[in-house]
Every structure is written in C-alpha cells, then in structure tokens.
C-alpha cells in the first residue's frame, strides 16, 4: 500500500465574495522510501499540498490518505497524534523555542515518547551530530546564525526517526556547503532508515537531489518524472 495516496483532491480558499482554487484535481501517490519533491513557480500550490499531506489542512473535495488515515476524516486531536507519531516537519520559518537551548529544542519531540533518559540523550546527540551542531548544544536560538537555526529545526524533525518527513524550502537559509551537508544527511537517513522525504522547493540545490520531481503549475500536476538514480550529481 502507498504511504500517501491523494485522489481527486481540490483545495479552494475563500477570497472576497468568491473562491480561489489553489489545488485542482490532484491525483498522486507516494511509496515508502521515496525521496521526492513538489516543484513549480511561486503560488503553484506546493505548500498547500504539503500542508494537507501533513494533516495541517484539509481538502475541500477529494481525499488524502496518509499512513492509513484519511486526512479529511480526522479530528484535530487525531491529526495531532498522526503528526506526533509518524511525521517530522521542516518549515521555511523554523519555529524554535527561544528560551530553550539547541539541545532542548531537539530533545523536545522525544519528551512525549516513552523511552529511558539514556535513550533520549543518545537520540538527541545523534540528531545534532547529523546536522553538525554538536558544538552548539548549549546555545540559545538567538545566538545562532540563520543556517544554524535551520539545522536545529532539521535535527528536531528527524530526531524521532519518523516515517515521513515533510520539508518546505528547507534550505532557504543555508549556503551551498550547508545545503549539501543537510541533503547528504537526508539522503543517508532515507537509505538507512527508509524515511520518506517529500520536499516543496524551487531551490536548484535541492532539486538536483530529488529522485522524483512533481511539477505543479496553477494548482495542477503538469509533470511527474522519476530521475535516473545513477545520474551524476553536480
Ligand atoms: N489561506 C489562504 N487564503 C487564500 N489564498 C491562499 C491561502 N493560502 C494560499 N493561498 C493561495 O493559494 C496559492 C498557492 O499557495 P502556496 O502557498 O501553496 O504556493 P507555493 O507553491 O507554496 O508558493 P511559494 O513557492 O511562493 O511558497 C497562492 O496563489 C496563494 O495565494
Ligand atoms: Mg510555499
């Protein structure tokens, strides 16, 4: 069974007296272990679709089934449980908790899970190592650069080793070298843990890494292509 299955999905937003159709008849499915992205111009519906897959929003019509749950049927509480148990989010604006340290921000999602203090510490430190921030664990978010903050949010999204990671412009604040490091880390987790990654991006640095590219234009899928995996990354 597909990890994510989207059928005849339409998303409309009320604007003025009328409605704006942000997504128009989307049919897509994503298998476990994919490393793929929604690409397309600004306003094409990438974030809207990613938010519905992430159960942060609901379709106006049609259906989105994610890890066995129909998003349109979930209560807020059920949606929160689905996100907490199975998903990691990386947003363009990373919302770190300002009064907590880097370590505490990354540890945070684990506090709701049953595990020993030892296990929690190991997972937190592992995630910080994945993003190269071991030397900043005691810093507060305000003491970090934009790219470092972004890397903390990536560690926080991945610390639970979720089945599905949704990443909206995850490299927006990163320079080329950090982007490459982060993407290499994601590729590694994708291979080692079979974590599924779905990106929304127009960053060429990210697009080069994708094994499947779904092009959205004006809320419609106009292209859905698999990339030859042996293709050399430049
Ligand atoms: N809450 C809302 N109310 C009305 N219109 C909205 C709302 N959210 C998004 N839209 C519209 O839906 C369309 C798709 O927006 P979306 O944020 O999904 O685009 P995007 O592809 O992620 O763009 P970008 O690359 O700029 O992030 C846009 O035209 C946007 O103005
Ligand atoms: Mg967007």
């Amino acid at each position: 069974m597909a990890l994510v299955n989207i059928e005849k999905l339409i998303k409309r937003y009320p604007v003025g007296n009328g409605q704006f159709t942000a997504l128009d008849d989307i049919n897509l499915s994503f298998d476990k272990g994919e490393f793929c992205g929604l690409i397309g111009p600004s306003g094409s519906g990438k974030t809207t679709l990613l938010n519905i897959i992430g159960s942060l929003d609901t379709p106006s019509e049609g259906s989105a089934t994610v890890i066995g749950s129909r998003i349109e049927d979930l209560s807020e509480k059920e949606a929160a449980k689905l996100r907490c148990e199975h998903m990691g989010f990386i947003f363009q604006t990373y919302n770190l908790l300002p009064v907590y340290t880097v370590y505490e921000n990354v540890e945070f999602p684990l506090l709701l899970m049953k595990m020993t203090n030892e296990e929690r510490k190991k997972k937190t430190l592992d995630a910080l190592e994945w993003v190269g921030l071991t030397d900043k664990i005691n810093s507060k978010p305000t003491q970090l650069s934009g790219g470092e903050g972004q890397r903390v949010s990536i560690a926080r999204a991945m610390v639970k080793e979720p089945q599905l990671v949704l990443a909206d412009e995850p490299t927006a604040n990163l320079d080329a070298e950090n982007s490459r490091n982060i993407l290499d880390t994601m590729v590694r987790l994708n291979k080692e843990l079979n974590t599924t990654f779905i990106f929304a991006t127009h960053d060429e640095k990210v697009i080069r890494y994708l094994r499947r590219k779904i092009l959205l234009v004006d809320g419609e899928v106009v292209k859905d292509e698999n990339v030859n995996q042996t293709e050399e990354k430049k």
Side-chain angles (χ1 to χ4, degrees):
M1 205 179 72
L3 190 75
V4 176
N5 194 39
I6 295 165
E7 279 176 21
K8 298 181 182 163
L9 185 147
I10 296 174
K11 180 66 183 180
R12 297 188 195 93
Y13 289 114
V15 274
N17 296 325
Q19 287 190 317
F20 173 78
T21 304
L23 295 172
D24 195 4
D25 193 26
I26 305 289
N27 295 281
L28 280 174
S29 91
F30 299 92
D31 288 327
K32 190 154 174 49
E34 286 208 49
F35 198 87
C36 60
L38 308 168
I39 63 175
S42 180
S44 57
K46 304 182 296 294
T47 295
T48 304
L49 183 53
L50 207 66
N51 284 348
I52 293 174
I53 295 171
S55 78
L56 297 165
D57 203 350
T58 50
S60 307
E61 281 180 40
S63 172
T65 306
V66 180
I67 317 178
S69 299
R70 288 167 68 99
I71 298 299
E72 60 276 19
D73 295 342
L74 299 179
S75 66
E76 290 216 359
K77 206 173 158 190
E78 289 165 335
K81 185 165 185 282
L82 176 70
R83 290 194 294 271
C84 172
E85 287 179 354
H86 299 298
M87 299 188 201
F89 291 86
I90 302 164
F91 294 112
Q92 184 166 5
T93 49
Y94 43 94
N95 304 302
L96 300 176
L97 303 167
V99 299
Y100 293 107
T101 64
V102 164
Y103 181 91
E104 289 162 338
N105 266 280
V106 174
E107 181 191 35
F108 188 71
L110 299 179
L111 294 175
L112 297 167
M113 299 174 76
K114 251 186 143 163
M115 63 181 69
T116 64
N117 289 343
E118 283 294 290
E119 275 177 293
R120 195 164 64 236
K121 187 169 176 196
K122 179 171 189 320
K123 282 182 186 289
T124 305
L125 291 175
D126 279 352
L128 282 160
E129 200 184 323
W130 294 337
V131 300
L133 281 179
T134 308
D135 58 335
K136 296 279 180 186
I137 56 176
N138 294 316
S139 300
K140 297 276 173 67
T142 51
Q143 299 170 317
L144 302 174
S145 72
E148 287 166 346
Q150 190 105 18
R151 285 187 277 154
V152 177
S153 79
I154 291 168
R156 186 184 53 185
M158 310 215 285
V159 71
K160 284 189 298 184
E161 299 179 11
Q163 285 198 55
L164 177 61
V165 173
L166 302 173
D168 198 350
E169 305 288 0
T171 51
N173 293 298
L174 300 180
D175 58 30
E177 189 187 341
N178 275 316
S179 295
R180 222 172 22 245
N181 288 342
I182 289 302
L183 284 156
D184 286 338
T185 302
M186 291 175 172
V187 167
R188 188 159 53 80
L189 292 172
N190 170 257
K191 286 208 182 99
E192 288 175 6
L193 306 174
N194 208 26
T195 311
T196 307
F197 284 82
I198 307 177
F199 295 87
T201 189
H202 35 221
D203 183 352
E204 268 305 324
K205 295 194 295 293
V206 177
I207 293 172
R208 277 205 296 271
Y209 278 80
L210 301 176
R211 291 205 302 269
R212 177 184 175 195
K213 301 176 195 176
I214 296 157
L215 175 62
L216 289 178
V217 176
D218 293 336
E220 292 183 53
V221 174
V222 299
K223 204 164 162 187
D224 182 352
E225 61 173 357
N226 289 306
V227 180
N228 182 356
Q229 289 187 32
T230 56
E231 205 171 285
E232 200 55 40
K233 282 193 295 283
K234 269 151 258 139

